Amino acid sequence: MQALIDLLAGFIALLVAAALAQFGADMERPPQPRPEVHRISDCPPPPETASAQARQEDC
């Protein structure tokens, strides 16, 4: 009985996909691009002198 229900569900899904394909609907999603990952480094602890601080301007 379970196999019959599975068969009917598969057949109905096939009919729905065929009907939607007539209108240009596609059941497959286009692959989404993976997001870019930007790796950053942690800033070192603050330096003791002002000259060393001038070298670490980007942190």
Side-chain angles (χ1 to χ4, degrees):
M1 189 66 174
Q2 183 67 34
L4 178 63
I5 293 172
D6 289 341
L7 181 69
L8 287 175
F11 184 69
I12 291 171
L14 179 71
L15 288 177
V16 168
L20 289 175
Q22 293 297 318
F23 299 109
D26 191 8
M27 300 302 287
E28 295 292 324
R29 295 175 120 187
Q32 298 292 331
R34 295 182 67 179
E36 292 185 20
V37 176
H38 298 281
R39 299 188 189 278
I40 58 171
S41 61
D42 291 334
C43 293
E48 300 292 328
T49 63
S51 63
Q53 187 175 8
R55 287 183 279 156
Q56 297 293 333
E57 292 176 1
D58 61 338
C59 287

